[in-house]
């Protein structure tokens, strides 16, 4: 397995003093923290699409990457070559999982029958590659957004035949994910939204989207898929407004259609910031609602207003996120999936390794810092103290419904209550967190 990345050795852990650019400085897969190895805690995955499908173009410029698997050849031959390159990369990198869209790994073809035939053949190839390498599938999904037929949405499209085409893709992608022992299935509604309200029936489109998700749940049970179904929130881009705006919006949608116990969320860092939230906020919200499933680990650029999908480099940001995940019990079937792409100027094949090595080291450092925060328990203790009065009789009586609004007003007057402000000690807490991150 040394056909495409001949200049790159198998990446190993060498420690923080190593100067080897092809070595992990902090990610020691077998290091045990809180009873689990780093690999078990982080469950990191590399994506198929940005690494092996994207050619370095953007809306203002053409391709900058010259990859051998992108050169002119028979489409199925190219797909198989791309798979060879992908699994060589995954294996040399030493990552545990990968993720894909259906048309990442298989030519879409000119007809729906060609799509089905091509995808079926490539699932055979993926299965053989997984058996050969031991690589695991974190999640699969269907690309129901790139083709022109989806310009007005997939499930939310005005044309039911487009809905049916998307259902066909999801049907086959779910079946493939089950066969490949995928641990999750993601539903990313890349164009499930609107550009203008002048031609949009919001109620109708939400109903269509709700029925689509119900069908997905029904199919999960029909085929015996034991993984987790995930919706990935995103506020906008490419549409003006998407129905899965953020975690709280998705939860309201799930409640409306009776799916709150069937589907969880796959949070992407860059999508959180596009929604005007912090990544930390979106993770904490998902944890509080009991719907955190998995995470797309990336980051945006604070000076750019779109989804730049950069590799994560902020230990500060990911320490707080990992802290929330650990507090909620850690990942179950999900993990950290690098939905990330190189900068267009990073044209060398070796840059793919440098980017992932840095990102994996960032998550490893963040995990170590978050574990210290959990073990010391100072933040949790201070939060518990702040809300301690809710554990007293008055607080418990309010929460259990023993007081009406009139009763509570009478209690306040009878006891002449005069609550005084108590410091939130934000700066102290920020200093504490910095102490864990930078010591």
């Amino acid at each position: 397995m040394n056909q495409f990345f001949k200049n790159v050795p198998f990446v190993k852990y060498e420690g923080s003093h190593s100067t080897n650019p092809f070595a992990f400085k902090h990610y020691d897969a077998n290091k045990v923290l809180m009873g689990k190895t780093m690999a078990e805690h982080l469950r990191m995955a590399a994506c198929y699409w940005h690494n092996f499908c994207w050619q370095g173009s953007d809306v203002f410029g053409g391709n900058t990457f010259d990859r051998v698997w992108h050169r002119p050849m028979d489409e199925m031959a190219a797909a198989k070559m791309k798979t060879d390159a992908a699994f060589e990369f995954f294996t040399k990198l030493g990552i545990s999982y990968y993720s894909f869209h259906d048309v990442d790994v298989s030519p879409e073809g000119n007809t729906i029958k060609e799509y089905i035939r091509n995808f079926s053949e490539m699932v055979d190839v993926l299965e053989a590659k997984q058996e050969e390498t031991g690589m695991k599938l974190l999640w699969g999904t269907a690309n129901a957004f790139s083709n022109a037929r989806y310009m007005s949405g997939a499930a939310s499209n005005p044309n039911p035949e487009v809905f049916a085409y998307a259902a066909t893709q999801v049907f086959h992608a779910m079946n493939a994910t089950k066969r490949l022992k995928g641990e999750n299935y993601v539903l990313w509604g890349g164009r499930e939204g609107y550009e203008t309200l002048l031609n949009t029936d919001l109620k109708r489109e939400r109903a269509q989207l709700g029925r689509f998700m119900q069908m997905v749940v029904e199919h999960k049970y029909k085929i015996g898929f034991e993984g987790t179904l995930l919706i990935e929130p995103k506020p906008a881009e490419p549409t003006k407004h998407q129905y899965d705006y953020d975690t709280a919006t998705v939860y309201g949608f799930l409640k409306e259609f009776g799916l709150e116990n069937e589907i969880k969320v796959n949070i992407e860092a860059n999508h959180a910031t596009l929604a005007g939230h912090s990544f930390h906020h979106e993770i904490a919200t998902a944890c509080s609602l009991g719907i955190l499933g998995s995470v797309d680990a990336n980051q945006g650029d604070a000076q750019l207003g779109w989804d730049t999908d950069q590799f994560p480099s902020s230990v500060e940001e990911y320490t707080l996120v990992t802290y929330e995940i650990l507090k909620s019990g850690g990942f179950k079937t999900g993990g950290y999936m690098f939905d990330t792409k190189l900068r267009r100027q990073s044209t060398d094949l070796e840059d793919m390794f440098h980017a992932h090595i840095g990102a994996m080291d960032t998550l490893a450092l963040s995990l170590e810092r978050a574990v210290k925060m959990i073990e010391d328990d100072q933040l949790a203790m201070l939060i518990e103290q702040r809300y301690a009065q809710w554990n007293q009789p008055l607080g418990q009586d309010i929460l259990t419904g023993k007081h009406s609004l009139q009763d509570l007003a009478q209690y306040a007057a009878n006891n002449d209550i005069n609550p005084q402000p108590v410091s939130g000690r934000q700066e102290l807490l920020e200093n504490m967190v910095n102490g864990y991150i930078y010591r």
Side-chain angles (χ1 to χ4, degrees), residues 259-270:
L259 299 169
E260 68 272 18
N261 296 319
E262 301 291 350
I263 300 177
K264 297 184 183 298
V265 288
N266 182 63
I267 302 296
E268 179 173 318
N270 209 165

Side-chain angles (χ1 to χ4, degrees), residues 132-188:
E132 175 188 348
T133 63
M135 188 61 53
K136 295 174 287 186
L137 179 62
L138 187 67
W139 51 257
T141 188
N143 180 332
F145 50 88
S146 291
N147 192 288
R149 74 176 65 90
Y150 297 124
M151 68 178 186
S152 299
S156 59
N157 198 284
N159 184 347
E161 287 194 350
V162 175
F163 184 108
Y165 204 111
T168 302
Q169 286 188 242
V170 172
F171 171 83
H172 288 283
M174 286 185 70
N175 292 349
T177 300
K178 178 180 183 293
R179 178 178 164 188
L180 296 172
K181 299 181 175 61
E183 300 188 21
N184 308 269
Y185 184 83
V186 173
L187 297 139
W188 186 58

Side-chain angles (χ1 to χ4, degrees), residues 97 199 213 215 317 388:
Y97 294 90
N199 64 7
M213 296 303 173
M215 291 167 67
E317 180 174 48

Side-chain angles (χ1 to χ4, degrees), residues 104-353:
D104 297 338
V105 298
S106 172
E108 188 169 5
N110 296 314
T111 68
I112 198 166
K113 290 181 179 179
E114 282 186 20
Y115 161 80
I116 294 168
R117 183 173 62 251
N118 291 345
F119 188 47
S120 175
E121 183 175 344
M122 287 308 300
V123 171
D124 292 342
V125 174
L126 292 174
E127 185 175 51
K129 285 291 184 182
Q130 287 185 201
E131 291 176 358
E132 175 188 348
T133 63
M135 188 61 53
K136 295 174 287 186
L137 179 62
L138 187 67
W139 51 257
T141 188
N143 180 332
F145 50 88
S146 291
N147 192 288
R149 74 176 65 90
Y150 297 124
M151 68 178 186
S152 299
S156 59
N157 198 284
N159 184 347
E161 287 194 350
V162 175
F163 184 108
Y165 204 111
T168 302
Q169 286 188 242
V170 172
F171 171 83
H172 288 283
M174 286 185 70
N175 292 349
T177 300
K178 178 180 183 293
R179 178 178 164 188
L180 296 172
K181 299 181 175 61
E183 300 188 21
N184 308 269
Y185 184 83
V186 173
L187 297 139
W188 186 58
R191 295 189 187 274
E192 308 298 1
Y194 65 82
E195 296 292 343
T196 175
L197 288 172
L198 298 178
N199 64 7
T200 301
D201 186 329
L202 288 174
K203 185 175 182 180
R204 180 188 294 274
E205 291 195 357
R206 284 178 58 84
Q208 292 171 201
L209 191 56
R211 180 58 194 138
F212 194 96
M213 296 303 173
Q214 290 168 343
M215 291 167 67
V216 168
V217 171
E218 291 162 5
H219 188 63
K220 170 187 173 175
Y221 288 110
K222 183 175 182 178
I223 64 175
F225 177 57
E226 296 181 357
T228 303
L229 298 176
L230 303 169
I231 288 178
E232 183 170 324
K234 187 179 183 182
E237 192 207 60
T239 61
K240 176 180 179 179
H241 179 94
Q242 293 186 201
Y243 298 129
D244 50 2
Y245 187 90
D246 60 7
T247 297
T249 304
V250 169
Y251 186 70
F253 170 85
L254 295 176
K255 291 283 286 186
E256 179 181 358
F257 293 98
L259 299 169
E260 68 272 18
N261 296 319
E262 301 291 350
I263 300 177
K264 297 184 183 298
V265 288
N266 182 63
I267 302 296
E268 179 173 318
N270 209 165
H271 292 178
T273 51
L274 285 174
H277 303 309
S278 69
F279 183 25
H280 187 191
H281 165 88
E282 282 291 272
I283 294 293
T285 299
C287 289
S288 71
L289 294 170
I291 58 170
L292 178 67
S294 196
V295 172
D296 276 10
N298 60 20
Q299 66 186 39
D301 187 311
Q303 294 174 293
L304 296 174
W306 62 84
D307 197 358
T308 55
D309 287 332
Q310 294 171 230
F311 284 83
S313 61
S314 172
V315 174
E316 179 177 357
E317 180 174 48
Y318 275 85
T319 294
L320 292 172
V321 164
T322 305
Y323 173 69
E324 296 293 340
I325 294 170
L326 291 177
K327 278 199 308 179
S328 68
F331 288 121
K332 305 300 188 296
T333 62
Y336 278 122
M337 205 284 299
F338 294 120
D339 184 3
T340 46
K341 59 188 177 187
L342 295 174
R343 300 304 87 194
R344 293 177 72 241
Q345 304 92 328
S346 299
T347 57
D348 293 343
L349 285 173
E350 290 81 4
D351 291 326
M352 295 171 63
F353 285 89

Side-chain angles (χ1 to χ4, degrees), residues 39-87:
E40 290 169 334
H41 274 296
L42 297 172
R43 295 169 58 84
M44 293 185 286
C47 77
Y48 210 101
W49 49 100
H50 291 319
N51 288 313
F52 298 99
C53 300
W54 184 54
Q55 300 183 52
S57 63
D58 66 16
V59 294
F60 299 109
N63 301 335
T64 60
F65 299 158
D66 180 21
R67 311 299 197 217
V68 63
W69 54 86
H70 290 152
R71 294 172 187 171
M73 67 182 82
D74 175 79
E75 283 191 323
M76 286 300 289
K80 291 173 183 178
M81 180 183 288
K82 189 164 54 177
T83 302
D84 289 339
F87 278 81

